[in-house]
């Protein structure tokens, strides 16, 4: 009974990942904008160009890190990842080493909920879209 309460508590705080990642990306956006002197620019077109860069760089980096984490976690291309693991295990010297020593540990690990990296992909896409809006405003003005 305690375990279901814990799962419910974890599910209630899944939004926290998105907020923390967005705060980290906002920090880097402000840092890039400050580095490009966005807070002293008077020209509107130049300001939109700087803001486009400031939002696009953290957004696209986070997006690609999230995609690579999704690939690594097995959410995407899991058959390809498993095939590569099997091929590299052929060249491994210690063939006796196993991740799970018995079926109970394997079964426990199989039923544990694993966090997904989609929060990075979504936040990265949102920040890249904001950068795209600023780029559009930069090109129009």
């Amino acid at each position: 009974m305690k375990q279901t309460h814990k799962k419910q508590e974890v599910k209630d705080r899944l939004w926290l990942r998105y907020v923390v990642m967005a705060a980290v990306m906002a920090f880097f956006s402000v840092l890039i904008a400050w580095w490009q002197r966005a807070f002293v620019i008077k020209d509107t077109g130049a300001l939109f160009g700087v803001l486009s860069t400031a939002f696009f760089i953290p957004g696209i980096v986070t997006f690609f890190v999230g995609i690579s984490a999704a690939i690594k976690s097995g959410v995407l291309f899991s058959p390809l990842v498993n095939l590569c693991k099997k091929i590299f295990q052929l060249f491994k010297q210690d063939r006796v080493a196993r991740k799970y020593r018995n079926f109970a540990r394997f079964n426990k690990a199989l039923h544990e909920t694993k966090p997904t990296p989609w929060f990075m992909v979504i936040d990265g896409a949102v920040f890249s879209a904001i950068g795209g809006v600023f780029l559009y405003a930069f090109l129009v003005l």
Side-chain angles (χ1 to χ4, degrees):
M1 188 151 156
K2 289 181 182 179
Q3 191 175 14
T4 58
H5 177 66
K6 185 177 179 182
K7 284 184 182 180
Q8 182 67 26
E9 182 178 313
V10 170
K11 286 183 181 180
D12 289 343
R13 289 194 279 163
L14 287 178
W15 58 271
L16 189 60
R17 292 181 191 170
Y18 293 93
V19 172
V20 170
M21 183 55 70
V24 169
M25 291 169 49
F27 170 76
F28 283 112
S29 294
V30 169
L31 189 67
I32 291 171
W34 173 76
W35 182 53
Q36 293 185 340
R37 304 196 189 284
F39 301 110
V40 294
I41 294 177
K42 301 293 182 193
D43 183 28
T44 308
L47 178 65
F48 282 140
V50 168
L51 289 176
S52 171
T53 304
F55 278 93
F56 188 75
I57 290 174
I60 204 72
V61 168
T62 306
F63 179 77
F64 282 121
V65 168
I67 288 291
S68 66
I71 290 170
K72 184 183 179 297
S73 70
V75 176
L76 299 173
F77 308 117
S78 60
L80 181 63
V81 170
N82 289 334
L83 177 67
C84 289
K85 283 181 183 179
K86 294 289 183 187
I87 289 173
F88 285 119
Q89 281 178 354
L90 292 175
F91 300 109
K92 191 176 174 184
Q93 298 225 351
D94 186 17
R95 293 186 181 194
V96 178
R98 294 183 184 136
K99 188 173 183 179
Y100 310 107
R101 291 289 177 186
N102 56 24
F103 183 72
R105 288 183 184 173
F106 171 75
N107 197 18
K108 180 181 175 188
L110 188 63
H111 293 340
E112 288 179 353
T113 57
K114 296 175 183 143
T116 60
W118 289 112
F119 66 97
M120 290 189 289
V121 174
I122 293 170
D123 281 347
V126 167
F127 266 65
S128 297
I130 292 171
V133 168
F134 282 127
L135 178 65
Y136 177 76
F138 170 69
L139 294 175
V140 170
L141 294 178

